[in-house]
Amino acid sequence: MVKILIIHGPNLDLLGKREQGIYGKITLQQINNTLKDIGKARKVKLKIMQSNHEGEIVSIIGRAKNEFNAILINPAAYTHTSVAIRDAILASGLPVVEVHLSNIYAREEFRQKSLISPVVRGGVYGFGINSYTLGLNAAILLARDNAQKRR
Ligand code: DQA
């Protein structure tokens, strides 16, 4: 069974309470339950984590290479600032899908630059929870492809 690592970055634990006008009422728990349902239906193993700490995210990506076939990440605010997460993704050699609930290109100027996008295979943004479900489906394709190459 292929394995996908799902990483939620800082403040995403506050979804449902945080800036509802932008992110809606959906909670992280609801997003994770939906992702787990997809994982079960598609027979894919998921490991889901959320962290407010850049170094923890870097370390987890650093250990992912041998255990996972792909990564789905919403780097949240670190999207716009983190050279360290970008470098960790490059070092992992894993196929990565970047997701955002909101359309970061339609928001403040400082959000319109992603340091992560140039080092991922692709991204989905602007569709709320559907960014995650579409992103997971893309990650499943990439993970299966990657697992086949490793055999
Ligand atoms: C976000 C967009 C980021 O700019 C912001 O810092 C977030 C959430 C999104 O999912 O739309 O925390 O990644």
Side-chain angles (χ1 to χ4, degrees), residues 25-110:
K25 290 193 174 158
I26 194 129
T27 64
L28 192 61
Q29 193 58 53
Q30 287 169 320
I31 292 174
N32 287 342
N33 288 341
T34 302
L35 296 177
K36 283 179 199 163
D37 287 345
I38 294 172
K40 259 186 216 141
R42 304 282 307 273
K43 298 190 170 37
V44 177
K45 216 171 155 90
L46 305 180
K47 179 170 178 180
I48 304 179
M49 51 94 51
Q50 187 276 329
S51 177
N52 293 325
H53 303 277
E54 184 177 20
E56 188 182 10
I57 296 171
V58 169
S59 295
I60 281 166
I61 295 172
R63 289 194 296 268
K65 189 181 171 81
N66 295 322
E67 202 189 332
F68 296 95
N69 304 101
I71 298 174
L72 177 73
I73 185 168
N74 182 348
Y78 290 140
T79 306
H80 320 295
T81 63
S82 183
V83 176
I85 292 175
R86 175 188 170 122
D87 286 352
I89 287 172
L90 275 177
S92 78
L94 287 169
V96 176
V97 178
E98 175 186 353
V99 298
H100 298 283
L101 294 153
S102 64
N103 179 352
I104 56 173
Y105 300 101
R107 297 185 60 191
E108 303 97 317
E109 204 175 328
F110 68 86

Side-chain angles (χ1 to χ4, degrees), residues 2-38:
V2 298
K3 284 180 82 174
I4 296 175
L5 175 62
I6 299 178
I7 302 172
H8 302 288
N11 299 310
L12 294 173
D13 52 332
L14 302 177
L15 284 177
K17 299 191 242 14
R18 160 190 191 213
E19 297 180 89
Q20 283 189 5
I22 293 169
Y23 301 117
K25 290 193 174 158
I26 194 129
T27 64
L28 192 61
Q29 193 58 53
Q30 287 169 320
I31 292 174
N32 287 342
N33 288 341
T34 302
L35 296 177
K36 283 179 199 163
D37 287 345
I38 294 172

